[in-house]
């Protein structure tokens, strides 16, 4: 059962979008992405000399007429790609009011999975620390994805890098990797996570989501005991209006640092706020990043 | 006028301490509200105290906290509203003790009355007042709440009486009523422990010097009197005895005086021999200094030895006095049943195997009433009188005192049928055989067994029972026949139209029911007899005031306070309302708003 936000109208609009990759990958079945493999397809790739055994139908007879040499046309094969979705389920994703941040991560995962599944891609779902890597194929599998996401609960802090490495190693074919997280972790850890995804040559897109509470953490309170949702660390904090602005700037600096690291590692970085409309985020932010078109 | 007071004003000292603490806590920052956030990655750099509190710019909320603290402190200090009393019960102690003189010669009662009138004038005109006096017999002067002005009009003519107060009884009844009215008592006594709703305003002479005759009796040509002396110094005085003789206007006969030297805090018994012809006597202490004797009214006692009024009429079918002439302290006359009429006058009646058509207006003993009579019906099975053994008796009644009744078996017993007014005194195997009651204000005893003729020591149990009955019925304890208490209505029968005091040419006017109310002691003369009116009360004559004790939980209250309405519940209500309002505004409403906003987005 899909969440209520996925109305028929929204689904119809989402169906018009397509997952793209900035690189071509070898797939294992016919699909929608141009594969490096030459073979049958629509896209002309090159000529090569006829060799015994080639299908005579592929001989370019016009060229034979002009040059008296037999050449056969080759095409770029269109194959599927694997789309790996790594969704952060640590406690920090569940702290915002009404679990808005987690719900946005869940909805994005579902939307991207739905688009991918419609394109006959293999969707691999990784919720670090909660379950093993699961693979889905076919549009109907979106409901299975939804059920797994629905059952997701906050997990204890873990070795995120190792979890990601395990997920990546489970992929039989390289493809697209999408990391959905708030990435409110030290930059070193962000580096490790993206590096782990890039280690198998995946086309990585990092989607960083922040909620209103992340940007203005003590809304309505100028003095509070801030408790870290994951480590449980407690800090007495006071924020006046100037300090709030300072805090916001520092958060945005952290986002920029994450984007910088992603760029350096050849990954795309997309930042989004929970309050933004879902389809607008898909069609604008992710299209701009080259993940959708 | 509305004023406010505090039950525990010292608790108000908490206010500045509390305010200082609130200020300190606010400056310090108070306990920060715990907020769970996603990550302390950036926020950790903002650790510290709020800048705004360093310069004390309190938010509106601290005013709310101050208001709450103020309300709690006022409630703890037991804020009470005074003066706007709408419902007041006033009890005026006008008992005999208030006749004590204060400095200047005025009676304590004058002070009590003045205080009460002053209090009434201070009440708002909208107040409703119930008025009670304590003596004789505590009673309400108002059948409904009246205005202070009306109450003042009722208080003005009041006088102190010759009667004991029943103040504790009245206050206990008032507490049992659970009335919300505040009670103000004006008395010469004070509460042992202050009470939250009962305020006692005490007026009395601080001196404790009084000499009083607290008992007197005539028995077998001998008159004895008991004199109580209170104070700190010995008192020299003379006890004067005036004897009255003759039946017409009782001309004064012999006067005898005994010089006395009385030590303080003692009681002495003085005896006089009196001649047989004496009809009445007056004992007095005429030569006492006012400073040594604050109550003058207890220095005079009247006694009566005339049998005219208090002789006991023995009415029987056979005539005769049934051996009662051997009892020294009563005088009996015999009447045959057919001679008896409702006009017969006597101090008491004994009906033996006979019952009149209606009970006389005097103490009455009915022995073995004939079956079938309506006044004292009997339970007769088969018309036989049965033998009966006593099974149960009311051992708390004066009549059964000093008796061991289970050993008593009557050969002939006539069970009596209990009546509305009667109480079962002795039960037997045959049924009730002794009933007592006061059907119309007069004591009546009905016996279903024979006690006559009176045989004295030869039948000790029955004789003690008979003497107890006489003692209870005819009040023969000390003074003998023909003596009544002042302020007690006197029923002399329909044939007595006029009653006069021997001294002072004062006469009494009969009440609508034919009774006379002797307002003060003296010797009364009326057609057919004479009656001594006297008043003894050691409790009232003594100036060692016993504090009033009330039942239940007593809490200290501010002495001398007006009637108070505690505002604690009102303050608690306001505090609760503010807390709920704060909860609604600061927690529920924002949450609801967020929910609505979330749903719409």
């Amino acid at each position: 059962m899909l969440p209520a936000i996925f109305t028929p109208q929204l689904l119809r609009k989402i169906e018009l979008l397509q997952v793209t990759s900035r690189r071509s990958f070898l797939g294992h079945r016919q699909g929608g992405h141009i594969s490096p493999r030459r073979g049958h397809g629509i896209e002309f790739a090159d000529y090569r000399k006829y060799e015994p055994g080639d299908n005579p139908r592929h001989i370019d007879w016009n060229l034979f007429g002009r040059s008296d040499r037999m050449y056969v046309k080759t095409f770029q094969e269109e194959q599927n790609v694997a789309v790996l979705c790594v969704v952060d389920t640590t406690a920090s994703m569940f702290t915002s009011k009404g679990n808005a941040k987690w719900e946005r991560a869940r909805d994005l995962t579902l939307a991207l999975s739905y688009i991918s599944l419609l394109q006959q891609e293999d969707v691999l779902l990784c919720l670090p620390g909660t379950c093993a890597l699961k693979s889905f194929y076919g549009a109907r599998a979106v409901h299975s994805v939804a059920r797994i996401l629905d059952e997701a609960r906050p997990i204890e802090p873990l070795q995120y890098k190792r979890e990601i490495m395990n997920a990546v190693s489970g992929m039989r074919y390289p493809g697209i990797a999408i990391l959905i997280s708030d990435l409110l972790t030290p930059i070193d850890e962000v580096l490790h996570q993206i590096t782990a995804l890039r280690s198998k040559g995946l086309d990585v897109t990092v989607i960083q989501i922040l909620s209103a509470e992340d940007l203005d953490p003590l809304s309505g309170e100028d003095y509070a005991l801030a408790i870290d949702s994951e480590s449980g660390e407690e800090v007495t904090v006071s924020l006046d209006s100037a300090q709030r602005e300072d805090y916001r700037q520092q958060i945005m600096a952290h986002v920029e640092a994450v984007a910088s690291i992603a760029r350096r590692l050849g990954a795309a970085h997309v930042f989004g706020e929970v309050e933004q409309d879902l389809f607008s985020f898909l069609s604008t932010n992710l299209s701009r990043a080259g993940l959708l078109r | 006028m509305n004023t406010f007071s505090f039950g525990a004003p010292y608790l108000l000292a908490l206010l500045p301490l509390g305010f200082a603490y609130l200020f300190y806590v606010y400056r310090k920052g108070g306990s920060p509200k715990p907020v769970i956030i996603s990550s302390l990655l950036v926020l950790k750099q903002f650790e510290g105290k709020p800048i705004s509190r360093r310069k004390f710019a309190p938010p509106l909320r601290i005013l709310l906290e101050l208001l709450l603290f103020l309300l709690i402190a006022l409630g703890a200090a037991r804020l009470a509203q005074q003066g706007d009393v709408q419902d007041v019960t006033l009890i005026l102690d006008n008992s005999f003790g208030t006749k004590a003189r204060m400095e200047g010669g005025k009676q304590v009662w004058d002070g009590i009355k003045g205080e009460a009138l002053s209090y009434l004038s201070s009440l708002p005109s909208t107040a409703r007042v119930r008025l009670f006096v304590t003596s004789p017999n505590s009673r309400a002067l108002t059948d409904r709440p009246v205005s202070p002005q009306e109450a003042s009009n009722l208080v003005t003519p009041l006088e102190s009486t010759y009667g004991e107060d029943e103040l504790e009884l009245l206050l206990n009844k008032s507490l049992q009523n659970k009335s919300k009215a505040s009670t103000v008592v004006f008395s010469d006594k004070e509460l042992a422990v202050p009470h939250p709703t009962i305020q006692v305003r005490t007026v009395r002479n601080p001196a404790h010097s009084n000499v009083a005759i607290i008992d007197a009796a005539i028995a077998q040509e001998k008159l004895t009197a008991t004199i109580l002396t209170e104070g700190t110094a010995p008192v020299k005085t003379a006890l004067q005895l005036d004897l009255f003789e003759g039946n017409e206007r009782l001309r004064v006969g012999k006067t005898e005086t005994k010089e006395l030297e009385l030590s303080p805090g003692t009681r002495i018994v003085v005896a006089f021999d009196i001649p047989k012809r004496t009809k009445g006597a007056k004992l007095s202490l005429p030569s006492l200094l006012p400073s040594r004797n604050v109550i003058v009214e207890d220095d005079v006692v009247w006694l009566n030895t005339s049998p005219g009024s208090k002789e006991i009429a023995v009415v029987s079918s056979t005539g005769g006095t049934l051996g009662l002439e051997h009892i020294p302290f009563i005088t009996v006359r015999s009447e045959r049943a057919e001679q008896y009429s409702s006009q017969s006058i006597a101090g008491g009646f004994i009906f033996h195997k006979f019952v009149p058509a209606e009970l006389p207006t005097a103490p009455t003993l009915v022995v073995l009433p004939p079956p079938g009579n309506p006044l004292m019906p009997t339970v007769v099975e088969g018309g036989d009188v049965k033998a009966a053994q006593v099974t149960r008796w009311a051992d708390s009644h004066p009549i059964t005192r000093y008796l061991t009744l289970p050993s008593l078996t009557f050969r002939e017993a006539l069970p009596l049928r209990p009546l509305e007014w009667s109480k079962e005194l002795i039960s037997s195997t045959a049924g009730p055989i002794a009933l007592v009651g006061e059907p119309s204000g007069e004591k009546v005893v009905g016996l279903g067994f024979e006690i006559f003729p009176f045989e004295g020591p030869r039948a000790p149990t029955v004789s003690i029972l008979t003497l107890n009955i006489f003692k209870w019925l005819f009040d023969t304890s000390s003074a003998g026949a023909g003596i009544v208490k002042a302020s007690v209505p006197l029923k002399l029968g329909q044939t007595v139209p006029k009653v006069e005091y021997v001294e002072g040419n004062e006469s009494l006017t009969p009440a609508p029911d034919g009774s006379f109310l002797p307002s003060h002691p003296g010797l009364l003369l009326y057609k057919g007899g004479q009656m001594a009116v006297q008043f003894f009360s050691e409790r009232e004559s003594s100036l060692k005031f016993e504090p009033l004790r009330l039942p239940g939980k007593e809490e200290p209250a501010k002495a001398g306070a007006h009637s108070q309405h505690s505002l604690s519940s009102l303050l608690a209500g306001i505090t609760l309302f503010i807390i709920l309002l704060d909860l609604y505004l600061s927690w529920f409403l924002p949450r609801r708003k967020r929910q609505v906003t979330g749903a719409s987005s």
Side-chain angles (χ1 to χ4, degrees):
Chain A
M1 191 72 178
L2 293 174
I5 190 175
F6 289 93
T7 59
Q9 292 81 3
L10 179 64
L11 287 173
R12 272 199 294 277
K13 287 200 280 186
I14 287 174
E15 284 165 8
L16 298 174
L17 299 172
Q18 280 189 319
V19 174
T20 62
S21 64
R22 285 164 292 171
R23 294 166 44 214
S24 55
F25 296 101
L26 283 172
H28 68 283
R29 82 168 77 87
Q30 202 81 25
H33 291 273
I34 292 171
S35 165
R37 180 176 292 171
R38 302 289 163 82
H40 304 292
I42 299 167
E43 199 80 21
F44 172 76
D46 203 355
Y47 288 105
R48 70 168 171 80
K49 286 182 180 176
Y50 173 79
E51 290 176 2
D54 288 335
N55 192 338
R57 284 193 295 177
H58 294 154
I59 296 170
D60 188 340
W61 293 112
N62 293 331
L63 186 63
F64 176 75
R66 289 197 298 273
S67 64
D68 204 20
R69 289 179 184 171
M70 292 178 68
Y71 290 93
V72 292
K73 285 183 182 174
T74 60
F75 296 86
Q76 282 196 310
E77 201 160 337
E78 288 182 346
Q79 288 186 312
N80 69 333
V81 293
V83 177
L84 171 66
C85 293
V86 181
V87 188
D88 184 0
T89 55
T90 53
S92 68
M93 295 296 286
F94 293 86
T95 51
S96 53
K97 298 264 167 53
N99 280 341
K101 191 155 67 172
W102 164 251
E103 286 181 2
R104 173 47 54 95
R106 178 198 65 190
D107 297 342
L108 274 175
T109 309
L110 275 173
L112 291 170
S113 300
Y114 184 57
I115 294 167
S116 304
L117 291 167
L118 281 177
Q119 286 178 224
Q120 309 299 316
E121 320 290 12
D122 282 344
V123 172
L124 292 104
L125 184 62
C126 171
L127 306 180
T130 57
C131 59
L133 187 68
K134 299 248 177 162
S135 178
F136 303 94
Y137 178 73
R140 285 187 182 179
V142 74
H143 294 289
S144 303
V145 177
R147 191 175 62 249
I148 289 171
L149 290 171
D150 198 41
E151 289 168 358
R153 296 290 178 267
I155 57 162
E156 296 294 319
L158 44 75
Q159 293 287 331
Y160 219 82
K161 182 184 167 188
R162 195 173 62 194
E163 290 283 323
I164 291 175
M165 287 295 287
N166 288 341
V168 171
S169 62
M171 293 179 75
R172 286 187 294 171
Y173 302 96
I176 298 167
I178 304 166
L179 173 63
I180 302 174
S181 170
D182 55 10
L183 290 172
L184 290 174
T185 52
I187 287 296
D188 290 350
E189 200 170 317
V190 176
L191 181 69
H192 290 147
Q193 290 179 28
I194 300 174
T195 306
L197 289 170
R198 288 287 294 136
S199 63
K200 207 170 183 180
L202 301 178
D203 181 10
V204 179
T205 300
V206 177
I207 301 176
Q208 189 175 10
I209 308 166
L210 293 182
S211 66
E213 288 80 18
D214 295 332
L215 298 169
D216 186 9
L218 305 179
S219 179
E221 298 285 338
D222 58 352
Y223 181 51
L225 179 70
I227 303 168
D228 191 296
S229 62
E230 294 181 12
S231 67
E233 185 184 355
E234 295 179 357
V235 172
T236 307
V237 179
S238 78
L239 288 177
D240 58 14
S241 55
Q243 287 169 319
R244 279 182 195 282
E245 186 54 39
D246 190 17
Y247 171 84
R248 190 178 174 88
Q249 284 176 5
Q250 290 200 36
I251 277 284
M252 295 316 292
H254 175 74
V255 171
E256 187 52 43
V258 171
S260 170
I261 283 177
R263 276 196 300 273
R264 188 148 55 92
L265 296 174
H269 175 266
V270 184
F271 169 70
E273 292 183 28
V274 166
E275 287 71 27
Q276 193 178 350
D277 176 59
L278 177 63
F279 184 74
S280 160
F281 184 78
L282 291 168
S283 60
T284 310
N285 297 40
L286 293 184
S287 294
R288 200 177 297 146
L291 181 63
L292 295 176
R293 68 171 180 223
Chain B
M1 196 174 73
N2 292 347
T3 56
F4 296 90
S5 69
F6 294 95
Y10 49 88
L11 286 175
L12 288 176
L14 291 175
L15 270 177
L17 291 174
F19 288 164
Y21 179 72
L22 270 180
F23 181 77
Y24 167 75
V25 166
Y26 184 76
R27 285 294 298 271
K28 198 182 170 192
S31 299
K33 183 181 173 185
V35 180
I36 295 173
I37 59 166
S38 300
S39 172
L40 285 175
L41 182 70
V42 178
L43 204 56
K44 204 186 287 184
Q45 299 165 28
F46 294 86
E47 183 174 3
K49 288 183 179 175
I51 295 167
S52 61
R53 301 203 181 181
R54 287 185 199 125
K55 52 187 181 185
F56 195 67
L60 198 62
R61 188 177 172 77
I62 200 169
L63 298 177
L64 193 72
E65 287 166 359
L66 285 173
L67 178 63
L68 281 175
F69 185 76
L70 181 68
L71 289 170
I72 291 167
L74 290 176
R78 294 214 305 273
L79 177 67
Q81 193 176 13
Q82 290 183 318
D84 62 339
V85 181
Q86 295 302 309
D87 203 359
V88 186
T89 299
L90 247 60
I91 299 175
L92 273 63
D93 182 359
N94 63 337
S95 60
F96 183 73
T98 62
K99 288 184 184 292
R101 264 67 174 177
M102 297 191 295
E103 286 179 14
K106 282 195 169 182
Q107 288 186 348
V108 168
W109 167 248
D110 297 324
I112 286 174
K113 193 155 74 169
E115 282 267 322
L117 289 171
S118 167
Y119 177 80
L120 285 168
S121 65
S122 72
L123 288 178
S125 58
T126 53
R128 313 306 294 162
V129 182
R130 287 180 185 275
L131 206 55
F132 290 85
V133 289
T134 59
S135 176
N137 303 323
S138 54
R139 60 202 164 94
L141 296 181
T142 52
D143 53 353
R144 60 180 171 78
V146 296
S147 69
Q149 183 57 47
E150 288 175 276
S152 296
N153 295 340
L154 289 168
V155 168
T156 305
L158 283 177
E159 292 297 338
S160 59
T161 64
Y162 284 81
E164 293 180 332
D165 72 70
E166 295 174 355
L167 198 50
E168 276 185 11
L169 185 72
L170 195 61
L171 289 175
N172 289 340
K173 274 185 185 173
S174 168
L175 287 176
Q176 281 168 5
N177 285 341
K178 293 179 181 174
S179 163
K180 287 187 178 177
S182 53
T183 303
V184 185
V185 181
F186 297 90
S187 173
D188 56 349
K189 298 171 183 64
E190 60 188 17
L191 283 178
V193 180
H195 195 277
T197 58
I198 293 177
Q199 177 202 348
V200 177
R201 295 188 171 195
T202 306
V203 180
R204 70 180 183 213
N205 188 343
H208 290 276
S209 289
N210 191 36
V211 181
I213 302 172
I214 56 166
D215 197 10
I218 293 175
Q220 295 178 339
E221 298 172 26
K222 194 174 273 296
L223 186 150
T224 55
T226 308
I227 298 166
L228 173 77
T229 313
E230 278 189 332
T232 53
V235 179
K236 277 189 175 178
T237 185
L239 181 62
Q240 182 177 313
L241 173 68
D242 296 310
L243 296 176
F244 295 83
E245 296 174 356
N247 286 328
E248 293 173 10
R249 285 308 289 169
L250 288 165
R251 63 182 172 81
V252 176
K254 187 182 162 191
T255 296
E256 188 180 346
T257 304
K258 283 196 177 181
E259 296 294 326
L260 302 173
E261 184 159 348
L262 307 168
S263 300
T266 59
R267 62 186 71 200
I268 61 165
V269 178
V270 182
F272 292 93
D273 291 323
I274 55 170
K276 200 171 183 180
R277 62 180 184 279
T278 302
K279 302 296 181 192
K282 178 188 177 187
L283 267 175
S284 59
L285 294 160
S287 57
L288 284 166
L289 287 172
S291 60
R292 299 285 170 83
N293 185 42
V294 294
I295 303 178
V296 178
E297 287 76 2
D298 57 11
D299 300 343
V300 181
V301 167
W302 292 85
L303 295 121
N304 180 34
T305 57
S306 165
S309 62
K310 267 292 183 181
E311 68 180 3
I312 310 299
V314 179
V315 185
S316 65
S317 52
T318 55
T321 55
L322 305 173
L324 296 175
E325 69 278 7
H326 301 300
I327 299 176
F329 56 79
I330 62 168
T331 309
V332 292
R333 72 164 193 262
S334 69
E335 278 181 36
R336 292 183 72 88
E338 53 270 23
Q339 290 174 334
Y340 174 80
S341 78
S342 61
Q343 305 300 317
S344 297
I345 294 172
F349 289 88
I350 297 169
F351 296 108
H352 185 242
K353 295 183 179 176
F354 165 74
V355 174
E358 59 177 330
L359 287 172
T361 54
T364 304
L365 170 64
V366 182
V367 180
L368 291 171
N373 82 86
L375 279 180
M376 188 75 66
T378 56
V379 182
V380 182
E381 292 177 9
D384 294 325
V385 176
K386 289 186 172 180
Q389 185 171 8
V390 173
T391 54
R392 187 161 50 87
W393 72 100
D395 53 1
S396 60
H397 200 278
I399 289 179
T400 52
R401 200 173 293 164
Y402 315 122
L403 288 175
T404 313
L405 287 170
S407 62
L408 210 58
T409 302
F410 300 102
R411 279 174 300 179
E412 292 182 349
L414 189 64
L416 306 175
R417 186 172 299 153
L419 297 164
E420 274 184 16
W421 50 265
S422 69
K423 202 173 94 179
E424 206 172 306
L425 187 67
I426 303 172
S427 295
S428 71
T429 49
I433 52 172
L435 303 175
V436 292
E438 294 180 49
S440 54
E442 292 293 352
K443 294 172 179 172
V444 175
V445 177
L447 296 180
F449 54 90
E450 186 62 276
I451 59 171
F452 299 128
F454 181 75
E455 294 179 319
R458 283 187 291 172
T461 305
V462 172
S463 296
I464 292 170
L465 181 67
T466 309
L467 292 173
N468 283 352
I469 290 170
F470 285 6
K471 191 175 174 183
W472 184 72
L473 268 182
F474 308 126
D475 193 22
T476 56
S477 58
S478 59
I483 295 174
V484 292
K485 229 174 176 182
S487 302
V488 175
L490 196 59
K491 291 182 179 173
L492 298 170
Q494 299 297 324
T495 56
V496 177
K498 189 180 175 186
V499 175
E500 285 179 301
Y501 277 100
V502 167
E503 287 188 331
N505 290 327
E506 188 185 346
S507 60
L508 296 179
T509 312
D513 64 351
S515 66
F516 298 90
L517 186 68
S519 59
H520 59 85
L523 200 58
L524 292 176
L525 282 181
Y526 58 92
K527 185 186 173 186
Q530 67 183 53
M531 188 77 72
V533 179
Q534 57 181 214
F535 182 77
F536 301 134
S537 174
E538 186 178 347
R539 184 167 158 257
E540 292 291 333
S541 289
S542 172
L543 300 177
K544 291 172 186 166
F545 299 97
E546 284 288 321
L548 299 168
R549 295 186 185 281
L550 300 176
K553 189 183 173 187
E554 294 171 353
E555 294 173 15
K558 186 186 170 191
H562 278 259
S563 300
Q564 296 180 347
H565 289 297
S566 174
L567 298 177
S568 299
S569 53
L570 177 69
L571 292 172
I574 294 172
T575 308
L576 187 65
F577 173 75
I578 291 175
I579 290 171
L580 290 175
L581 186 69
D582 179 47
L583 198 66
Y584 177 76
L585 292 176
S586 64
W587 184 77
F588 182 73
L589 200 63
R591 192 176 173 192
R592 191 175 171 79
K593 271 184 184 171
R594 268 182 237 124
Q595 280 177 352
V596 170
T597 312
S600 61
S601 66

